[in-house]
Structures are given as structure tokens and as C-alpha cells.
């Protein structure tokens, strides 16, 4: 218990590597008083509650958090426990302690409903729908993304124009209600009539049209979340019919419904989740065989008929399911009527589908919208299959390890229910191969494994079958894989409103892997299709497969013993942690990768910096004054001549509010200029001319708030003039002196100040910013040292009410058209910047004043600093 208290204490701290040799560690811990308080609480629990030895044993898993803090040389992989992975560790410990007592903790009524196969599906649907709705709200700032706006524009064309011709809708900017900026029509060839038709299928827009008409884009997300939640109930029912076990049905349901990839497609405007709903209807009817009623067959026929209208690739799974359901009914009484009920609507729909392409493009070929452009080839299958299964950014297994239980369940099913297994494989495999034959198998800007979503709901069946057949130890491993998958899902949805969810191929690394441990380069220790060739990815996947196999073996062996289930969980946890660290080290070694990332680790330590904490330095271990800690850590360093071209000399990801010092050794006689920027869209916010400088040069800049990134650079042709360059924090303000805890959307220099746009409806331009009419803009204004904040305001060509607010300072103005005013904004003592909010009552559109102007923005007033 005392060890767990110490582990909790260090878990609240931060650790980094402070020198280029990556040997000396710098630590930041809560005060010793907190340690005494935690130890006292642990002793009190031990005396009063007298927990069983098995419970204390599970708590011993927390000692993993102490590994990096041991004042001895430890493996690089041990530093993985210095990051957010510690949160996952404590959640796993809590789950292991609570799970055995679930029957005592849950209300009896809930347990009865969960075990009743008639009522449990309704509970499953309600739970899934609620979680999807919460997740939709949570990640809504990132939406709509990818192709979502294009589907919504088609919906608007159907509702407003009653056609599929979208050019006028784009010209009218109908999408401005849910999307800022400009959206170009997504098409590759015009129709026979010369009009633009989207390359995206019209089925999804037609499906969501009523919800959009009534409630707009938020209503569409809610509608899709409710439909997806209902579909997970079908998965529960299908699993029950095969296993006849409620616990196994819940495991299969949770494995698919609450993990990537289905979870994050359940509420977005993509065709994949609705396609999964229709596929699940078909699989449920297929599994029912001759027991399916004619009404069910007809409903299945309608579902299959709709699939190609959602996306062309769904035609593959629709055809396979139609054949399989028909084959299941051979020999049933009234076969002809049953086949008519099943196939009549799909036959009519297929004819209409081909006619649709013929009418618009002059050919019945479903690939006609793409013209001569195609990225689909059989040669892409090996590459795409490897990526969609194992890539850390977009692959299935790294983002949802519970699918390993699905794979095991298929082997179990093959021995027990060979026909159903083969049928599921016939549904899954051809569709999956067709999906990965597409060159862009990662599906662009979307959540991981999106192209597989249409066929994942039926995989609840093998997941449940595996759970029903597994022994005690194997179940512990499976539940651990499920917990890990749920933690990944929660992290992707919960961190910064979905900031980690959508990856960019060019980054070549999964954002959540970088998040879980800033000091350790986990991304180079996990298979990555964009960092390595396919054959190397398979080798790395094999290394991790061995680690998983070792964990399973230990779990099975311990499960056969008489140890309490908590001790089995402890053994599985220790084995999983050890094997994972070994796998990380092995992949690093094969990649010749640098395991530690001191820059991101040091920035994370700065984010937790507080003067009330305890600062430590290792090698040798000693306490250092807390005020000296920031300046002792070099956050990033580089040599000008050796820096990679096309990249900034120094880059800090998400640095906190602080004063930073840049130090450069100027070795050449050629003049150079050093720049710093937090927003590359608008160029550097700081710039220094080093003309005439020789030797060591130092300069400081102050960030009044945390930003997404800080890049320090110099012109490529003058980098050789810099012998070395480094950056460190020399002052980190206490929390009470920080202007805001939010990160800006944009940053730009206007004269003697840097202006950060925080929130509101504003249009940032190189010379100034427009506040939208009838809206507000919130800014942080950081003046140069010794310079006052002087804000220039120009009204739009309309009478307007404009309000400027900064703390207790407030100016309410009634401005005439194009009237200009200038104000000095005060700065609160102890702060380096001011928080400014500008509000307008109305505005005007430039296009209304000048028909030749296509600017349809509603502009209220213009601001800049002078």
C-alpha cells in the first residue's frame, strides 16, 4: 500500500532528460507533504478496511510508475511510464479491483435486464446511443471533416433544388451554416447535361435529408448516433443466438460497438456506419436461415437494395449477402415466395442504380463519376491489407487490440459452426479486399480503419464465441484487451475535444501514441506503414504478436491455478507491461531509432511547472531550487549547417505560456535573420536581424498563452552562419498570472504587437482582423516590451454598436459607417498581454455593396494594433 502511495505521488509529477547525452534526468514532483498525506491515507485504509492480499497485489502493479524515477540506469522503455500512460495504468488497476465486485455494485434491476435476452438488446441500444451522442458533442469542434461537407451539400441540393446538381449550391455557399472557408465541388467529370454532380453517392444525403431539414447538421449527427445505437442491439441479438450466453453477448457487443473503428463513424456523415447497419440486418437474417419470416426477408431485401446507393463498394457485400441469405432458404416451404420477398426490391434497385449512371453520364458503369481517374488495383491489396490491419495511424489492430479476440473467435467458430464462419468470411473478405485495393486505403481525413466499418458489426459474433469458449485466464487477457481498446477510444474522444482523433498521413505517426508518453518515442516502436516498407511493418507486427502471445500464455497458465482472479490480473498486467517494453526496445533496435524525445518531454514538464513543487536532478540525485529548473533544461538545440532542409531549426510542440530565450552561436560572416512563429499561415511573429553579430547572440520572446507550436528558423542559404542554436524557458509565470488557459486559433503580428485569435467569429487577414457582424472575437494582445497596446477600430459601411472589453476596462461605441477610432488597452499588472473581446451588433456584406465583389462574409468592424 505504501508503494502504491509513492507510485501515485510520482504519477502526479513530470520527468525529462535534460542533456544531449540523455543521461541526466530532471524531475518535478508534488511537495513532500503530499507524499506524507498519501502514505497516511494508505495506512488508514489498511487498518480500517483490511483489504485482502489479492487486492493489495493488484495495487502492486502501480510500481511500474516508479520505474523511471529510480536513481539508477534504467532501460529507455521504462520511461514510457512518465507520460499519460500512467493514467491508463491507474484505470486498469481500478478496473481489476472493481470488476470482481460488479454484482454487488450494480443495481439488481440492471443485472436482471442485462441477463434477459429480450430486454438486454434495448439496454445495449440505449447505452450505445447515449455514448455516441456524448462523443458527437465532444468531438464536434473537429466536425464536419473530410468528405462530410460534400454529403451535406448534396443533402441541401435535394432539399432546396430537388436535384443532384451541386454547382449552384457551392456558388451560393449553402455550406456556410456548418463550415467556414470555401468548399469546392468534389467531382471529376461533368454529367451529360454539362452540370456538376458529386462523385459521392446520393443514398446517404437522401437518408439524412429529413433530419437536416428539421434540425440542421447537429440533428443529422444525433439521428445517425441513434440509428447506430439501434444497430448495435442487432449485433447483441446475433451474438446471443449463437452463444446463448449474456456475458459473451455483452463482450461481443462492447468489443465492436465501443472500440475504433465503429465508434467514431457512428455519428459522422459518412456512408460507412449506415452501411454497417444494413449489413448487420442482412447477417441477422442470414443466421436465422429458414426461420426468418417473409417480412424479415423483405426488410433484408430493402436493406440490401439500399447498400449500393450509399457507396459503390457496398455493392460487393450486398451481392454476397443476397446469395447467402437465398442459399440459407433453399429447401424451405414456399421457397419461390421467400425468394421473391428477398430479391424483388434488390432487382428493381439494381436496375435503377445502373440507369442512374446511364442517365447522368451516358454509361451504366458505376465508376463513371471518376472518369479516367482510378486508384483501384489488385496490386494494391498486399500493401493496403498490411496497412489497414497494422498501421499505427489508420490500422485496425493498433487502435483496437480487442479485434485479436475476434480473430481467435473465428478459429473457434470454424471448429464448432463451420458454415456460419464461412458465410461470415464470405461477407467480410471480398469486401475488405475490394476496400484495400483502393490506393488510398487509409480513407483520407477520417478515423482509423473507416473502410472496414461496413463489415465490423457482425464481428461481435466471433468475439462473443471466443469469450464463451475461453478459460478464466484467457478471459482476463481478453478483458484487458477490451479495456485497452476502450481507453484508446476514450483518449481519442476526450483529449482536447478530439484533437488526437484525425491523423494526417504526412505526420507518419499516430497522435495518441505521441500523447501517451511525451518523453518516449513510442511512435517509432509501433508498426507504421508510412515510416517503413510493408515487409518491415510485418516484422514489427510479428514482434508485437510475440509479446501478445507471451501475455496470453501467462494468462492461461495462471488461470488454471487456484489463484484469485485479482492475482491472475496482476500476472497478466506485469507480463503485458514487460513484454510491451521488450517489444518497444526490439522495434527501436531494428529501426535504429532514438527512443527518447527530450524536447517533448521537457515541454510537458514545463506545462506542469509550479513553484510549489519539488525539483530534482539526477546523476547524482539532488534537489535544485524550483525557480532555477526551467533555465537548466535545453528544450531543443540544433546546428545550423546540419539541420534538415525544409524543416525549422527548432520546433516546440504545444509550449506553455513562458518567456523563452533563443541562443545562437554565429560562426559565419554572412548576415542572417532568425524568425519565430506560432502560425505559419501568417508568417513569423518575431524576427531578428543578426547583421554584424559575431559570437554568442541571445534574444527572448514571451508567449502569453500556450500555443500549438513554436518554430524557430533562419533562411536556408544562411543557416551555415549559425554554429549552433538552442532554446530554453527562462521564466514560467504562475497560473494566476496567465492570461488564459486556451490555445489560439491564429496568431499574427500587427505592428508593435502579436495578436492571438482565441474564439468567436472573426476573419484574420495579414493587415488586420474583421469581426463578423452580430458576433464577437476574443483575442490575446501581446505588445512588444515597453510598448502600449493601441487598438485601431474601423467600422463597416453601416451604423454599428461596437464594444471593446478587457478585464474591468470597457468601451461601448456607436459608430457611423466607416468611422475610425483608436484606443489604448490597459495591461493588468504582472501580465505581459491583455485579453480583449470585441463585439459588434450588425454588419454588411461586400457583395451587397458591389455586385462585382464575391465576398459574402457579413463584416462588422475591422481591428488592428498600431
Amino acid at each position: 500500500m505504501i508503494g502504491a502511495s509513492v507510485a501515485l505521488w510520482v504519477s502526479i509529477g513530470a520527468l525529462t532528460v535534460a542533456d544531449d547525452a540523455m543521461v541526466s534526468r530532471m524531475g518535478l514532483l508534488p511537495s513532500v507533504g503530499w507524499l506524507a498525506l498519501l502514505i497516511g491515507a494508505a495506512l488508514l485504509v489498511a487498518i480500517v478496511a483490511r483489504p485482502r492480499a489479492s487486492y493489495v497485489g493488484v495495487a502492486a502493479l502501480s510500481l511500474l510508475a516508479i520505474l523511471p524515477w529510480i536513481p539508477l540506469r534504467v532501460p529507455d522503455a521504462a520511461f514510457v511510464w512518465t507520460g499519460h500512460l500512467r493514467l491508463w495504468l491507474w484505470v486498469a488497476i481500478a478496473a481489476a479491483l472493481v470488476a470482481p465486485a460488479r454484482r454487488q455494485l450494480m443495481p439488481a434491476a440492471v443485472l436482471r435486464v442485462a441477463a434477459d435476452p429480450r430486454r438486454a438488446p434495448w439496454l445495449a441500444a440505449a447505452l450505445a446511443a447515449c455514448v455516441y451522442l456524448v462523443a458527437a458533442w465532444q468531438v464536434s469542434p473537429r466536425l464536419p471533416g473530410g468528405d462530410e461537407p460534400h454529403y451535406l451539400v448534396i443533402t441541401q441540393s435535394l432539399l432546396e433544388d430537388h436535384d443532384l446538381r451541386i454547382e449552384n449550391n457551392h456558388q451560393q455557399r449553402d455550406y456556410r451554416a456548418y463550415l467556414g472557408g470555401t468548399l469546392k465541388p468534389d467531382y471529376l467529370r461533368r454529367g451529360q447535361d454539362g452540370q456538376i454532380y458529386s462523385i459521392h453517392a446520393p443514398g446517404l444525403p437522401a437518408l439524412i435529408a429529413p433530419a437536416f431539414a428539421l434540425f440542421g447538421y447537429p440533428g443529422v449527427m444525433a439521428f445517425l448516433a441513434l440509428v447506430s445505437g439501434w444497430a448495435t442491439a442487432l449485433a447483441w441479438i446475433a451474438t446471443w443466438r449463437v452463444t446463448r450466453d449474456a456475458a459473451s453477448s455483452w463482450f461481443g457487443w462492447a468489443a465492436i460497438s465501443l472500440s475504433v473503428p465503429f465508434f467514431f463513424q457512428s455519428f459522422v456523415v459518412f456512408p460507412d456506419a449506415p452501411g454497417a447497419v444494413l449489413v448487420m440486418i442482412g447477417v441477422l437474417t442470414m443466421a436465422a436461415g429458414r426461420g426468418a419470416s417473409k417480412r424479415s426477408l423483405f426488410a433484408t431485401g430493402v436493406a440490401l437494395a439500399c447498400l449500393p446507393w450509399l457507396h459503390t463498394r457496398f455493392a460487393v457485400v450486398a451481392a454476397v449477402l443476397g446469395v447467402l441469405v437465398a442459399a440459407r432458404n433453399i429447401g424451405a416451404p414456399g421457397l419461390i415466395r421467400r425468394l421473391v420477398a428477398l430479391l424483388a426490391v434488390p432487382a428493381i434497385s439494381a436496375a435503377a442504380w445502373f440507369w442512374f449512371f446511364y442517365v447522368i453520364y451516358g454509361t451504366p458503369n458505376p465508376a463513371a463519376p471518376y472518369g479516367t481517374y482510378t486508384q483501384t488495383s489488385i496490386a494494391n491489396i498486399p500493401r493496403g491489407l498490411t496497412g489497414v490491419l497494422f498501421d499505427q495511424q489508420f490500422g485496425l489492430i493498433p487502435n483496437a487490440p480487442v479485434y485479436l479476440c475476434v480473430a481467435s473467435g473465428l478459429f473457434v467458430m470454424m471448429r464448432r459452426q463451420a458454415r456460419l464462419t464461412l458465410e461470415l468470411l464470405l461477407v467480410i473478405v471480398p469486401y475488405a479486399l475490394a476496400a484495400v485495393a483502393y490506393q488510398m486505403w487509409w480513407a483520407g481525413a477520417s478515423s482509423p480503419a473507416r473502410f472496414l466499418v461496413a463489415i465490423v458489426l457482425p464481428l461481435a459474433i466471433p468475439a462473443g464465441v471466443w469469450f464463451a469458449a475461453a478459460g478464466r485466464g484467457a478471459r482476463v487477457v481478453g478483458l484487458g484487451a477490451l479495456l485497452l481498446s476502450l481507453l484508446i477510444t476514450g483518449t481519442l474522444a476526450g483529449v482536447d475535444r478530439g484533437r488526437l482523433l484525425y491523423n494526417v498521413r504526412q505526420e507518419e505517426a499516430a497522435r495518441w501514441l505521441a500523447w501517451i508518453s511525451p518523453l518516449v518515442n513510442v511512435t517509432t516502436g509501433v508498426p507504421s506503414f508510412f515510416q517503413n516498407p510493408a515487409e518491415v511493418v510485418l516484422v514489427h507486427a510479428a514482434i508485437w504478436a510475440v509479446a501478445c502471445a507471451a501475455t496470453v500464455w501467462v494468462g492461461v497458465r495462471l488461470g488454471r491455478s487456484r489463484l484469485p482472479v485479482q492475482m491472475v490480473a496482476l500476472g497478466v498486467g506485469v507480463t503485458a507491461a514487460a513484454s510491451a517494453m521488450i517489444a518497444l526496445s526490439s522495434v527501436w533496435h531494428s529501426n535504429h531509432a532514438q527512443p527518447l524525445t527530450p524536447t517533448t518531454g521537457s515541454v510537458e514538464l514545463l506545462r506542469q511547472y509550479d513553484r510549489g513543487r519539488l525539483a530534482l536532478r539526477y546523476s547524482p540525485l539532488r534537489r535544485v531550487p524550483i525557480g532555477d529548473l526551467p533555465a537548466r533544461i535545453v528544450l531543443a538545440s540544433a546546428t545550423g549547417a546540419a539541420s534538415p532542409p525544409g524543416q525549422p531549426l527548432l520546433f516546440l510542440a504545444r509550449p506553455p505560456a513562458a518567456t523563452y530565450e533563443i541562443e545562437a552561436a554565429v560562426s559565419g560572416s554572412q548576415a542572417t535573420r532568425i524568425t519565430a512563429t506560432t502560425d505559419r499561415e501568417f508568417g513569423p511573429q518575431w524576427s531578428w536581424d543578426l547583421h554584424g553579430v559575431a559570437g554568442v547572440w541571445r534574444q527572448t520572446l514571451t508567449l502569453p498563452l500556450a500555443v500549438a507550436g513554436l518554430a524557430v528558423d533562419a533562411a536556408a542559404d544562411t543557416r551555415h552562419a549559425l554554429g549552433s542554436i538552442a532554446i530554453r524557458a527562462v521564466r514560467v509565470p504562475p497560473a494566476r498570472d496567465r492570461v488564459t488557459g486556451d490555445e489560439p486559433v491564429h496568431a499574427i503580428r500587427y505592428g508593435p504587437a502579436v495578436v492571438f485569435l482565441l474564439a468567436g467569429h472573426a476573419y484574420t487577414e495579414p493587415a488586420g482582423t474583421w469581426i463578423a457582424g452580430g458576433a464577437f472575437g476574443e483575442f490575446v494582445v501581446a505588445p512588444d516590451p515597453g510598448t502600449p497596446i493601441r487598438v485601431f477600430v474601423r467600422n463597416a459601411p453601416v451604423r454599428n454598436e461596437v464594444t471593446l472589453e478587457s478585464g474591468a476596462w470597457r468601451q461601448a461605441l456607436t459608430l457611423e459607417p466607416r468611422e475610425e477610432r483608436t484606443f489604448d488597452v490597459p495591461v493588468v499588472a504582472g501580465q505581459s498581454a491583455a485579453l480583449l473581446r470585441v463585439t459588434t451588433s450588425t454588419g454588411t456584406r461586400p457583395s451587397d455593396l458591389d455586385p462585382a465583389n464575391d465576398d459574402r462574409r457579413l463584416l462588422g468592424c475591422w481591428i488592428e494594433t498600431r
Side-chain angles (χ1 to χ4, degrees):
M1 295 293 287
I2 294 177
S5 300
V6 176
L8 182 57
W9 183 60
V10 300
S11 295
I12 308 173
L15 190 70
T16 190
V17 176
D19 56 19
D20 293 335
M22 297 188 184
V23 174
S24 181
R25 284 170 271 173
M26 298 290 291
L28 191 64
L29 287 166
S31 66
V32 178
W34 279 104
L35 176 60
L37 181 64
L38 291 172
I39 291 177
L43 293 175
L44 182 63
V45 170
I47 294 171
V48 175
R50 296 183 180 181
R52 297 177 185 176
S54 58
Y55 285 90
V56 176
V58 171
L61 191 61
S62 64
L63 297 180
L64 288 169
I66 301 178
L67 274 179
W69 295 87
I70 297 175
L72 300 172
R73 182 74 175 179
V74 295
D76 290 332
F79 289 103
V80 74
W81 303 105
T82 61
H84 299 101
L85 189 61
R86 296 171 300 189
L87 301 177
W88 290 13
L89 175 64
W90 286 105
V91 171
I93 292 171
L97 293 174
V98 171
R102 63 189 182 279
R103 295 187 180 277
Q104 290 76 28
L105 296 175
M106 293 182 65
V110 174
L111 292 174
R112 287 195 298 271
V113 171
D116 185 348
R118 296 169 299 175
R119 294 185 291 173
W122 293 101
L123 178 61
L127 289 174
C130 290
V131 174
Y132 296 159
L133 288 170
V134 171
W137 172 83
Q138 176 69 16
V139 305
S140 58
R142 314 288 168 183
L143 302 174
D147 290 332
E148 285 189 275
H150 296 290
Y151 285 108
L152 293 169
V153 167
I154 301 172
T155 303
Q156 290 175 293
S157 183
L158 288 173
L159 290 171
E160 298 170 12
D161 307 327
H162 310 296
D163 61 31
L164 296 172
R165 296 186 288 270
I166 60 172
E167 187 170 15
N168 65 306
N169 303 97
H170 284 269
Q171 291 174 344
Q172 297 163 186
R173 299 172 66 91
D174 291 343
Y175 50 81
R176 63 179 176 270
Y178 49 82
L179 185 72
T182 301
L183 183 70
K184 296 181 179 180
D186 201 358
Y187 77 104
L188 294 171
R189 61 174 289 190
R190 290 180 179 266
Q192 290 190 103
D193 56 2
Q195 295 291 325
I196 292 179
Y197 297 86
S198 178
I199 62 171
H200 303 287
L204 179 61
L207 175 67
I208 64 175
F212 189 91
L214 293 173
F215 306 108
Y217 174 56
V220 170
M221 289 198 297
F223 167 73
L224 292 174
L226 293 174
V227 171
S228 298
W230 171 77
T232 67
L234 301 182
W236 196 101
I237 293 170
T239 309
W240 163 264
R241 290 180 179 176
V242 175
T243 63
R244 296 293 171 177
D245 180 68
S248 301
S249 301
W250 280 110
F251 179 84
W253 170 85
I256 307 304
S257 304
L258 303 182
S259 68
V260 177
F262 185 81
F263 186 93
F264 291 107
Q265 286 297 309
S266 63
F267 50 82
V268 294
V269 188
F270 282 100
D272 303 271
V277 175
L278 301 179
V279 169
M280 192 64 237
I281 292 173
V283 169
L284 196 63
T285 304
M286 179 192 73
R290 299 178 186 179
S293 65
K294 291 179 183 178
R295 182 179 299 177
S296 297
L297 291 171
F298 178 78
T300 300
V302 172
L304 300 183
C306 293
L307 276 169
W309 293 96
L310 292 174
H311 200 286
T312 299
R313 70 176 182 271
F314 294 164
V316 175
V317 70
V320 172
L321 270 173
V323 172
L324 292 176
V325 175
R328 278 274 190 164
N329 282 272
I330 293 177
L335 175 62
I336 300 300
R337 292 182 179 180
R338 294 175 71 84
L339 292 180
V340 169
L342 172 68
L343 302 176
V345 175
I348 296 171
S349 176
W353 188 56
F354 288 113
W355 180 254
F356 169 81
F357 294 106
Y358 180 79
V359 168
I360 294 179
Y361 298 104
T363 173
N365 184 0
Y370 296 90
T372 58
Y373 178 79
T374 179
Q375 297 189 61
T376 300
S377 171
I378 294 177
N380 293 332
I381 291 178
R383 178 176 178 271
L385 192 60
T386 303
V388 83
L389 288 179
F390 302 119
D391 178 65
Q392 61 177 256
Q393 288 179 278
F394 305 100
L396 179 65
I397 303 301
N399 290 281
V402 73
Y403 274 83
L404 293 172
C405 298
V406 173
S408 301
L410 288 171
F411 284 103
V412 175
M413 286 183 65
M414 186 63 74
R415 296 196 305 268
R416 302 182 178 185
Q417 295 169 305
R419 178 172 180 173
L420 179 59
T421 307
L422 290 173
E423 288 171 333
L424 287 177
L425 291 174
L426 285 173
V427 171
I428 295 165
V429 174
Y431 171 80
L433 294 178
V436 299
Y438 185 49
Q439 174 73 17
M440 198 172 67
W441 52 266
W442 56 91
S446 61
S447 54
R450 174 168 72 89
F451 282 167
L452 297 184
V453 167
I455 44 89
V456 298
L457 283 178
L459 295 179
I461 299 173
V465 169
W466 174 85
F467 192 82
R472 187 177 66 145
R475 283 192 174 191
V476 170
V477 176
L479 290 171
L482 175 60
L483 177 62
L484 178 58
S485 301
L486 299 184
L487 287 170
I488 294 172
T489 298
T491 297
L492 293 179
V495 175
D496 294 342
R497 304 295 297 271
R499 177 176 62 85
L500 308 179
L501 175 57
Y502 296 110
N503 286 275
V504 179
R505 174 190 173 188
Q506 288 75 13
E507 291 180 352
E508 299 184 349
R511 294 178 177 180
W512 70 267
L513 284 176
W515 174 86
I516 62 170
S517 190
L519 182 57
V520 176
N521 197 353
V522 180
T523 61
T524 57
V526 177
S528 171
F529 198 85
F530 298 109
Q531 295 179 25
N532 302 289
E535 57 272 17
V536 176
V537 173
L538 290 174
V539 171
H540 294 169
I543 293 173
W544 280 95
V546 171
C548 293
T551 304
V552 173
W553 184 82
V554 169
V556 171
R557 296 282 296 184
L558 291 176
R560 293 173 180 170
S561 68
R562 296 183 178 180
L563 290 173
V565 68
Q566 293 92 342
M567 298 307 294
V568 175
L570 173 63
V572 168
V574 171
T575 305
S579 58
M581 288 189 287
I582 293 172
L584 271 177
S585 301
S586 300
V587 176
W588 283 332
H589 180 75
S590 67
N591 272 345
H592 305 288
Q594 176 55 257
L596 300 183
T597 51
T599 293
T600 53
S602 298
V603 170
E604 178 63 27
L605 182 142
L606 285 183
R607 280 198 286 267
Q608 299 188 36
Y609 178 83
D610 185 81
R611 289 188 173 273
R613 292 198 164 204
L614 172 68
L616 299 175
R617 182 180 179 89
Y618 286 65
S619 301
L621 179 64
R622 64 181 183 274
R623 183 173 180 174
V624 298
I626 185 66
D628 296 346
L629 180 66
R632 289 173 177 260
I633 302 173
V634 176
L635 299 175
S637 62
T639 302
S643 299
Q647 298 181 14
L649 290 170
L650 307 173
F651 181 75
L652 304 181
R654 305 189 70 233
T659 297
Y660 295 89
E661 180 184 77
I662 302 171
E663 179 182 292
V666 185
S667 59
S669 59
Q670 183 177 355
T672 187
R673 178 175 292 274
I674 291 179
T675 61
T677 180
T678 65
D679 189 338
R680 297 183 185 182
E681 181 176 343
F682 292 103
Q685 286 81 56
W686 296 269
S687 181
W688 302 279
D689 188 354
L690 272 64
H691 181 74
V693 175
V696 178
W697 169 90
R698 293 186 181 90
Q699 186 58 263
T700 62
L701 65 87
T702 298
L703 291 178
L705 73 173
V707 296
L710 174 64
V712 179
D713 206 357
D717 58 346
T718 61
R719 285 187 174 188
H720 63 274
L722 297 174
S724 64
I725 185 169
I727 186 171
R728 57 169 54 86
V730 293
R731 179 182 178 274
V732 181
R736 66 178 182 275
D737 291 340
R738 295 171 192 172
V739 180
T740 178
D742 298 329
E743 289 187 6
V745 179
H746 282 300
I748 187 168
R749 174 170 285 276
Y750 296 141
V754 178
V755 178
F756 300 87
L757 171 62
L758 283 182
H761 194 178
Y763 306 100
T764 305
E765 298 180 3
T769 296
W770 279 106
I771 311 298
F776 76 93
E778 193 167 80
F779 307 87
V780 169
V781 184
D784 292 338
T787 305
I789 298 178
R790 186 156 294 159
V791 176
F792 169 77
V793 180
R794 180 189 296 121
N795 189 28
V798 63
R799 186 179 174 87
N800 204 350
E801 303 289 336
V802 177
T803 304
L804 286 76
E805 300 173 276
S806 179
W809 179 84
R810 187 175 188 272
Q811 291 288 330
L813 312 172
T814 299
L815 300 180
E816 298 300 322
R818 295 188 174 89
E819 183 178 352
E820 299 177 354
R821 301 283 295 273
T822 302
F823 300 92
D824 286 342
V825 179
V827 178
V828 177
Q831 296 184 352
S832 60
L835 184 64
L836 177 65
R837 182 184 179 98
V838 182
T839 307
T840 67
S841 62
T842 187
T844 185
R845 303 183 192 277
S847 57
D848 294 338
L849 302 175
D850 180 5
N853 193 330
D854 62 355
D855 188 350
R856 295 180 56 83
R857 297 177 300 172
L858 183 65
L859 305 180
C861 75
W862 169 274
I863 69 164
E864 60 181 275
T865 52
R866 293 184 171 182

